[in-house]
Amino acid sequence: MLKGKNILLGISGGIAAYKVLDLCSRLKKKDVNLKIIMTKSATEFVSPLSFETMGRCLVYSDLFEGHHENVHHIELVKWADLMLIAPASANTIAKMANGIADNFLTSSYLACYKDVIIAPAMNTNMLKAKATQRNLKTLEDDGVKIIKPEPGLLACNTVGDGRMEEPSEIVDYLDSYFTEKDLAGKKIIVTAGPTVEPIDYVRYISNNSSGKMGYNIANEARKRGAEVVLISGPVNPFKVNDIKRIEIKTNLELKSAIEREFADSDALIMSAAPVDYSSKYVSDRKLKKTGKGLNLELIENPDIIKYFGSIKDKQTIIGFAAETDNLIENANKKLNEKNLDYIIANDLTKWGAGFDVDTNVASIISKDEIRNLDLMPKSELANKILDLLR
């Protein structure tokens, strides 16, 4: 969504200015067009030349420098699709909130009739000061969007709120901003990751699901305006913003969590990989080795997606079939037996498909059609799946 967008990037004084070099790099990789304004104090932390090189663009700082056949702080605003100020210092925030236009950046802000987003960064006490909180509230009331700073160890050796949000998260925020909200008003349940079924106090049965597909679907659905409920088995941490996340372990917990959200939902996307079997007997102590081996009696777990397929009303249900043999045949069987609307079929033997990778090769199957897709990032596949809900 960021490709070809014109972003006017304002940089105010603060040690977080060095992180904006990474932000520029990430934005350029997304084919964003940049023009940059730096306050004089910002140039004390990072040179304009560094930003000109990283952003491959002009950097403006002195309001009175250069030729003036064009009024730069007016023309830059006309060019921009969006104004982003990162980092936004306490001083710059105060000037913005009170209409003070005494430098290139604040003059451009005052002339700006496009949306403005700021990423504050400052000492914790400065952030919590009544004046700063009052100024942030004023900007919010004026329609400025605020990417809240994160807690952590600050450059002043203080621990607390005030760290500028990480560049990757700012890019994600901008991507969401420019994404069409075509799923607004829809509630989508997304399941992700594996389930685990205990054997004894410390051991369990599980699988290799990383949760990457489900988390990509959840994040992309949120960007497109949906209300998202993400029900996740144990996975390595993924950051999700503005998403209700419910953490589960067992199949029973997964089924119960879906049940609590299902009645008023519009769709269930079952990208989790529930364990098919569980141990008939579970020890409440750690089983010790005896030198004689261990025989487990496994029982088949209830079929969660089939249950919801049998009780659905208005809901669209999308399942997944990860197979190593007879992909289309097995996927079609699952589609029909479980009363699904669509099934996403993955051949685990193909390069770039399967668990714990960032790409996938899939076929989207309905009762009427089979669409074979090429290798693509899971984020792109996520949007093709979400297109089914428009």
Side-chain angles (χ1 to χ4, degrees), residues 192 215 230-235 237-238 244-250 253-254 257 260:
Y215 274 73
L230 174 61
I231 303 174
S232 176
V235 295
F238 293 89
K244 178 180 179 180
R245 178 165 55 180
I246 301 169
E247 295 185 358
I248 57 90
K249 288 186 177 180
T250 66
E253 290 172 350
L254 174 61
R260 289 193 296 270

Side-chain angles (χ1 to χ4, degrees), residues 356-368:
D356 209 22
V357 292
D358 295 320
T359 57
N360 214 337
V361 184
S363 297
I364 299 177
I365 302 174
S366 66
K367 290 179 173 64
D368 305 315

Side-chain angles (χ1 to χ4, degrees), residues 122 124 149-164:
M122 66 196 74
T124 299
E150 290 288 296
L153 178 63
L154 308 181
C156 57
N157 211 30
T158 301
V159 176
D161 292 334
R163 285 174 59 88
M164 188 183 82

Side-chain angles (χ1 to χ4, degrees), residues 154-195:
L154 308 181
C156 57
N157 211 30
T158 301
V159 176
D161 292 334
R163 285 174 59 88
M164 188 183 82
E165 180 61 279
E166 292 303 312
S168 60
E169 296 301 320
I170 295 176
V171 171
D172 182 70
Y173 185 100
L174 296 175
D175 191 46
S176 178
Y177 168 84
F178 283 113
T179 300
E180 181 186 356
K181 303 300 184 280
D182 58 347
L183 296 179
K186 292 186 181 294
K187 177 181 176 180
I188 301 173
I189 304 169
V190 181
T191 68
T195 58

Side-chain angles (χ1 to χ4, degrees), residues 299-319:
I299 56 174
E300 197 169 293
N301 282 327
D303 193 321
I304 296 174
I305 197 168
K306 185 175 183 179
Y307 168 76
F308 288 103
S310 70
I311 66 166
K312 71 177 182 178
D313 179 18
K314 61 174 183 173
Q315 295 88 352
T316 299
I317 300 185
I318 301 175

Side-chain angles (χ1 to χ4, degrees), residues 321-333:
E323 304 286 348
T324 56
D325 301 289
N326 303 320
L327 176 67
I328 302 302
E329 179 185 340
N330 286 327
N332 264 315
K333 183 179 179 183

